[in-house]
Amino acid sequence: MFWNFLLEIPTGTVADFLGRKVSLILGCMIGAVGVLIYASYPRFLVFLLAEVILAVSYTLISGADEALVYDSLKEIGQTDISKKSVFPDGIP
């Protein structure tokens, strides 16, 4: 959670500059690498490295997915259903 907190703003700028889709793709790719490292070698330092990489992945995806949904709805003029799309149960 510490790394998620520290990386939230810097990775948010990735979505702003490169785009939401790119941020989601990078987040998924980095997450896959993090999982491979996580399971690669049973050492504490490897575990810590994987945790940082997975935090980068999480923060790249965090918010970019919801923003992409909203941007897509905005393009087709359906922003009034954004709460239903982002929160399917209707609970924000």
Side-chain angles (χ1 to χ4, degrees), residues 5 14 21 45 51 60 70-71:
F5 175 75
V14 170
K21 288 180 189 178
L45 290 177
E51 285 292 320
L60 280 168
Y70 187 80
D71 290 345

Side-chain angles (χ1 to χ4, degrees), residues 8-88:
E8 193 69 41
I9 292 175
T11 56
T13 58
V14 170
D16 292 339
F17 286 117
L18 299 178
R20 314 237 192 286
K21 288 180 189 178
V22 172
S23 182
L24 289 172
I25 292 168
L26 281 174
C28 290
M29 290 171 52
I30 291 171
V33 170
V35 169
L36 289 174
I37 292 172
Y38 201 82
S40 68
Y41 197 67
R43 292 282 182 247
F44 187 68
L45 290 177
V46 175
F47 165 77
L48 290 179
L49 174 66
E51 285 292 320
V52 172
I53 292 170
L54 289 171
V56 170
S57 169
Y58 174 80
T59 55
L60 280 168
I61 294 170
S62 171
D65 52 354
E66 295 164 0
L68 183 63
V69 169
Y70 187 80
D71 290 345
S72 300
L73 290 172
K74 188 175 179 181
E75 283 183 22
I76 62 171
Q78 297 290 322
T79 56
D80 55 325
I81 64 167
S82 65
K83 295 288 184 195
K84 293 177 189 172
S85 299
V86 174
F87 302 106

